[in-house]
Amino acid sequence: MNDRRHNILFVTTFLPGRLQSGSEICTQAIVDALRSLGHRVHVVGYVRKGHEFAPEHEDDTSAGSRIIETAEASCGVRSLWMGRALLKQEPYSCAKYVSRMMRQTVRKVMDSHRPDLVIIDHVQLAWLMDMVPAVPVVMIAHNIEADVYRQMLLGGTTGLGRWALGREATQMARWEIGCAKLVDQIWTISDHDREHFARLAPTRMMEVHSFMTVTAGAAPLPDKDVVLLGTWTWQPNALGLRWFIERILPLLPDAIDIHVAGKGADWLRSLAPRVTYHGFVMDSAGFARTGRVCAIPGVAGGGLQIKTLDAIALGLPIVASPVSLRGIHDPPGTVVAAESERSFALAIERMINHPPGSRVCEEAIRWSASRRQRLAEGIREAVNDLLAGGGSPRRAAQGRGDGPRSRSRPEDRSSVCRGGGIGVAQAFAAQRRIRVLGLEMDAVTEDELIADVESAVQRKARFVVGNHNMNSVRLVQSDDDMRAFYDVCDRIYIDGMPLILIGRLLGHFLQRRQRITLLDFYPKLLGLATKHRWRICWLGGRADIAERGAAKLREQHVGLDLVTVDGYFDAQGADNERVLRTINSLSPDLLMVGMGMPRQERWVLSNHLRLNARVIWCCGATMDYIAGAIPTPPRWMGRIGLEWLFRLGSEPRRLWRRYLIEPWGLLPCVLRELNHRWMLPPDQLRSRPAPPPPSDPRPGPPRSDSPEA
């Protein structure tokens, strides 16, 4: 076993010395274990606003004081956090931690100490990932954050709060998946969380311990029946407290008194004298030991319940819900698990009347002490696995060398991280099929779409390309043929900034570059066609206009093989047969169908199996714009999503209804999907991969250059 001592950079949200929350206790336990193994651990984190920085260790470094609790922040600060979250498409709970000071402090520590290992404590700090040097990286997942917000959402929140929690659940699910792509290991603090993250990256479970200890001397004589202790401003804790008061308290005998301590539950004062609220108490351990039973009624939240570990370490009799025992294996005899309200109330009565003996309580204290040793052993193995050159499964799979600066990752941090946001989420989102307003579409970029087209031509596979914009979304609601057309499409790219914005609102990680319009895209497409000598047939528009546009394209792309076919014909009769014969005689690699929506989609749906063409692409009035028959919007307007405004000004009589009236008809659909989206379970939040280009040609008429021709 290699027990070398290493420099470790440990970046956390708040410096944990004060141990004010369960999260800080977990963090401090891991830091202490690393230092006990001889490693030099440089801890960087914020200091809570109003608290003086008093480092517990010489290697603790403050990134400045900061408020991050929403309840304590001003309206202006909360607006800035939400504005950043919406602009950067990141979770609100991550935007709260972003600051230039944190970046500068982390950079300074890295430059000074050149760490061998970087530990990111909390996924909310993954926006720092683009700064991490080429060393192994660990993420500590205190919870499955998406699950936490999902459970909070089910607590009865309505209105804007419901939307905010739903968005946070969706974004955190993507954020966690994306972050897993850039780390070498994930450390969790519960088995439940380990099973979840093990599907994403190599994962280890660390058995963190309580810092509570039983002091020498006689224990205080219990003078309270039931005690509850917690920070009730944290919503998962508040939900558990309300469940206890509303569901369990009525089942308990009136003679049993209830005592609650911790800030954030002033509403309990109205329940006196049955319930006594003590507010914040300085000596939480002393308060807990005055109770005959410690009740821990968790119904939401994730990770490890530190309150339960603290109570066990004090040797207290405990009645806890299953959520409160998450991450705790084989609890000692002082703990009774109760799932239902009735069983919880009965367990409290039984524990008060028949308390565990002193031997059982001593066993619980020893059980707690043993976790400290197991944590150190687990961290020793994990660090050796990462740094001894032998072990990280991801490191081996990605072919990384043993040198300190060697790296060959599928997702390089520097290449996917942009502008302080978690770029891995962008990489994760790049090639996938998503659902927006009940319709499937592909969040692909121009380069990815080009690659799909090139692959289809090379494989001689029929490949149908469609697009969605607000007009198509409206048409699909009432047109069966339009719905059927999109069922046969192999790629459905997004052509419209409104859909990008709606997709973001629904939690999809969409970027401006995933909005594709042929007016910007056709030079790249035709350049590739010229290079590979593809034959192109352009069906659509009046013959004179189409030929005028084709002449311009041939001038721009010397050697372009382009033939136009008049788009004004009877799509049902003999005229249609004539058009089909013309196209099939050309045997085009790329058939551009530009007859306007929905006529072009209906025609492709009816005829695609009879066409001797490889790629069939619905392209609307693109040729009319190229020929100059319709004024072309300035491309800067397209890039910022205002192309519709130019078109409305150019053709107000034709387009006023489409742009000013019809989109409002989709508002009920948007609201329904928002409501539905936030109620999906977390494991359904991931978007399905986009289908790959077909590897084999579909049945169809033989091509003139194929063996069957």
Side-chain angles (χ1 to χ4, degrees), residues 43-55:
V43 183
V44 177
Y46 293 116
V47 176
R48 293 183 184 275
K49 195 77 170 178
H51 292 177
E52 183 180 352
F53 175 49

Side-chain angles (χ1 to χ4, degrees), residues 83-122:
R84 177 189 168 86
L86 294 173
L87 181 65
K88 297 290 186 179
Q89 300 179 62
E90 62 191 18
Y92 172 83
S93 57
C94 297
K96 296 192 296 185
Y97 292 102
V98 177
S99 77
R100 183 179 301 176
M101 186 63 179
M102 174 65 88
R103 281 186 166 274
Q104 292 173 345
T105 306
V106 170
R107 173 64 64 194
K108 181 178 179 181
V109 173
M110 286 193 300
D111 291 344
S112 300
H113 301 287
R114 297 184 61 82
D116 304 306
L117 172 68
V118 174
I119 298 177
I120 302 293
D121 185 38
H122 300 283

Side-chain angles (χ1 to χ4, degrees), residues 77-314:
V77 170
R78 293 196 298 267
S79 298
L80 287 175
W81 290 341
M82 180 56 75
R84 177 189 168 86
L86 294 173
L87 181 65
K88 297 290 186 179
Q89 300 179 62
E90 62 191 18
Y92 172 83
S93 57
C94 297
K96 296 192 296 185
Y97 292 102
V98 177
S99 77
R100 183 179 301 176
M101 186 63 179
M102 174 65 88
R103 281 186 166 274
Q104 292 173 345
T105 306
V106 170
R107 173 64 64 194
K108 181 178 179 181
V109 173
M110 286 193 300
D111 291 344
S112 300
H113 301 287
R114 297 184 61 82
D116 304 306
L117 172 68
V118 174
I119 298 177
I120 302 293
D121 185 38
H122 300 283
V123 70
Q124 285 89 343
L125 293 179
W127 51 273
L128 290 165
M129 201 72 76
D130 60 332
M131 300 179 59
V132 174
V135 297
V137 181
V138 171
M139 179 185 79
I140 301 178
H142 289 246
N143 304 287
I144 304 173
E145 297 289 346
D147 281 6
V148 173
Y149 288 101
R150 183 68 53 186
Q151 292 163 357
M152 291 163 64
L153 180 64
L154 296 175
T157 306
T158 59
L160 188 59
R162 176 184 176 83
W163 170 82
L165 288 175
R167 179 190 183 277
E168 196 71 2
T170 304
Q171 291 287 355
M172 286 306 307
R174 301 196 187 289
W175 199 262
E176 288 171 331
I177 294 167
C179 186
K181 286 176 167 246
L182 293 186
V183 300
D184 294 88
Q185 277 189 11
I186 297 176
W187 294 354
T188 70
I189 54 178
S190 76
D191 261 343
H192 174 269
D193 295 356
R194 180 184 57 79
E195 292 172 3
H196 170 81
F197 285 105
R199 302 194 299 266
L200 308 175
T203 304
R204 288 178 177 268
M205 201 267 293
M206 300 300 173
E207 295 189 69
V208 300
H209 56 81
S210 169
F211 283 86
M212 292 289 188
T213 56
V214 179
T215 56
L221 185 66
D223 59 359
K224 304 175 180 65
D225 289 328
V226 181
V227 295
L228 294 91
L229 185 65
T231 302
W232 311 115
T233 52
W234 174 231
Q235 191 168 353
N237 288 350
L239 291 173
L241 179 60
R242 285 195 176 274
W243 177 68
F244 180 87
I245 296 297
E246 295 173 4
R247 301 291 187 86
I248 297 171
L249 181 60
L251 302 177
L252 293 172
D254 292 342
I256 294 180
D257 56 83
I258 311 297
H259 294 260
V260 181
K263 65 177 181 179
D266 294 273
W267 58 276
L268 290 175
R269 299 189 191 281
S270 63
L271 301 179
R274 183 73 192 281
V275 177
T276 303
Y277 177 55
H278 297 261
F280 176 76
V281 293
M282 292 296 296
D283 184 7
S284 57
F287 176 83
R289 296 179 72 190
T290 63
R292 296 180 178 87
V293 176
C294 181
I296 311 178
V299 296
L304 184 67
Q305 299 296 310
I306 295 296
K307 292 193 299 292
T308 309
L309 285 182
D310 287 346
I312 293 174
L314 294 172

Side-chain angles (χ1 to χ4, degrees), residues 458-460 535 587 612 614 697 700-709:
Q458 290 173 351
R459 296 171 185 271
K460 300 182 180 180
R535 273 167 289 178
S587 188
N612 186 16
R614 290 174 180 170
R703 294 177 52 87
S704 59
D705 57 353
S706 69
E708 293 85 356

Side-chain angles (χ1 to χ4, degrees), residues 12 14-20 23-25 27-28 31 43 46 56 60:
T12 186
F14 283 99
L15 293 173
R18 293 176 179 267
L19 303 181
Q20 289 193 337
S23 173
E24 292 180 27
I25 290 171
T27 296
Q28 189 65 59
V31 170
V43 183
Y46 293 116
E56 300 287 326
D60 291 353

Side-chain angles (χ1 to χ4, degrees), residues 208-209 356 365 435 507 511 526 624 663:
V208 300
H209 56 81
I365 296 170
R435 291 186 69 87
Q511 301 170 280
L526 298 185
D624 290 356

